Amino acid sequence: MSDAAGRAKAVLRWGLSFALLAVVGAQLAGRWDALRAQVQAFEPAYFALSLLPLGLYFALSAEAWRRLLAALGAHVSWGAAFHTLYYANVAKYLPGSVWGLVGRVVLCQRLGVPAGVASAALLMDAVCQVAAGVLVGLLALPAFAAAAPFGDRAVYGVAALVACLVGGLHPALLNGLLGVAEGLLTRLGKPRALPRVPYRYGFVLAMLALLGGGFALLGEALSPTPLGPGQLLLLAGAFTIAWNVGVFALFAPAGLGVREAAIALLLGASFPSGWPALLALAGRA
C-alpha cells in the first residue's frame, strides 16, 4: 500500500469515528438546556464508586491474561501480565485498530513468550470476553425491543438464538471439543497437546458485569433522580452490547464513535432525550 493510500485510509477511519461522535454530540447539544440541570446535579460519590468496579475489572483482566498464557505454557507474573495488557492498550487508538494487539504480542515476546503463544492467547481471550459480553448485554434487551421498528418478538427471537450460540462457547464445551480434537490427532498419528480455557465462564462474566456495573454507577452519578434497579440493569447491559459492537468495528480506533452511537441508540427509548448521549460521551472520557 502506498503512503498516500495509507493516509487516505487513516483519514477515512478517523473521519467515520468523528462523524459518529458528531451525531451523538448533536443530540447532546440539541437538548443541552434541558440537560444542564442534570449536569449540575452530578454526584461525585457515585462517580467515585463507579471507579471501584472498573479497577476490579482491570485487575481481573490481567489475571485472565496471565492464566491464558500459563495454559499455553508461558508463565508470567500478574504484574507482567498487567503491564503487557494495558501498556499495549494505549496503541488501540492508532489507525488500524490492531496495534494494541500487536503491541501485546511484542511485549510478551520481550518476556520470552513466543509470538505464536501470545497470538493464541489473544484469540482465546477475545472469544471468551465477547461471548460473556453478549450474555451480560442481554440485560438491555427490553430497551432495544422497545426501540426496534421491526417488533419486539423478532428482537427476543434473535437474542435467544445469539444466547444459544454464545452458550456454545462455554469453556466446558470448548475444552471438551479440544479433548476430542486431541484424540483425533492421536489417531491420525499426529499426537499434539492442545491448550484448555483455564478459567470458568463465570470468571469472565464477572469481569464484564463489573464493566457494565461501573457504567451504571456513572449513570447514577449523572442522573438528577435516583435510577431504579431495572434502569441500572439496562445501563449495564447496553454498555456491554456497545462494547462488543465497538470491538467488531475494526474501522474505528478502539470503537471510537461506534460505541457511543450504540449506547445512544440502545438507551434512547428508555431515558429522556439527549441524556444517553451525555452518558455515552462521559463513559468514553
Side-chain angles (χ1 to χ4, degrees):
M1 180 183 297
S2 66
D3 291 342
R7 286 193 294 270
K9 190 174 182 180
V11 169
L12 180 60
R13 288 176 183 272
W14 283 100
L16 287 172
S17 292
F18 282 114
L20 289 171
L21 282 176
V23 171
V24 176
Q27 293 182 13
L28 177 60
R31 296 285 300 168
W32 181 246
D33 289 339
L35 292 171
R36 186 178 300 168
Q38 298 183 13
V39 175
Q40 293 173 345
F42 177 72
E43 290 285 350
Y46 279 112
F47 173 72
L49 194 59
S50 73
L51 299 178
L52 178 59
L54 184 62
L56 291 174
Y57 168 78
F58 288 153
L60 288 179
S61 293
E63 174 61 15
W65 179 238
R66 186 195 67 79
R67 292 188 188 185
L68 283 171
L69 291 173
L72 294 167
H75 299 278
V76 301
S77 67
W78 180 87
F82 187 93
H83 178 263
T84 60
L85 186 61
Y86 291 108
Y87 188 72
N89 204 41
V90 177
K92 68 183 181 180
Y93 285 102
L94 295 175
S97 302
V98 298
W99 298 113
L101 304 178
V102 172
R104 207 188 306 185
V105 173
V106 171
L107 290 174
C108 282
Q109 286 182 290
R110 293 180 181 178
L111 295 173
V113 178
V117 170
S119 299
L122 276 173
L123 178 61
M124 294 172 68
D125 183 53
V127 169
C128 290
Q129 290 217 36
V130 169
V134 170
L135 292 180
V136 176
L138 293 179
L139 297 171
L141 266 184
F144 189 64
F150 43 81
D152 57 354
R153 291 185 179 180
V155 172
Y156 285 108
V158 172
L161 176 61
V162 170
C164 290
L165 293 174
V166 171
L169 297 175
H170 192 285
L173 180 58
L174 287 176
N175 288 336
L177 292 175
L178 288 168
V180 171
E182 277 187 354
L184 290 175
L185 288 172
T186 300
R187 291 184 180 182
L188 293 172
K190 300 179 180 179
R192 182 180 179 184
L194 298 177
R196 300 294 194 271
V197 178
Y199 42 70
R200 298 177 182 273
Y201 214 34
F203 184 87
V204 191
L205 280 172
M207 288 168 50
L208 273 296
L210 284 169
L211 197 60
F215 183 76
L217 288 171
L218 176 62
E220 185 70 73
L222 288 170
S223 177
T225 57
L227 298 176
Q231 291 175 308
L232 292 172
L233 288 176
L234 286 177
L235 290 178
F239 184 79
T240 53
I241 287 178
W243 178 85
N244 265 340
V245 172
V247 168
F248 285 107
L250 299 180
F251 68 87
L256 185 66
V258 176
R259 191 176 81 187
E260 289 74 20
I263 291 172
L265 175 65
L266 286 168
L267 299 178
S270 303
F271 293 92
S273 177
W275 189 79
L278 170 66
L279 184 58
L281 294 174
R284 172 65 69 173

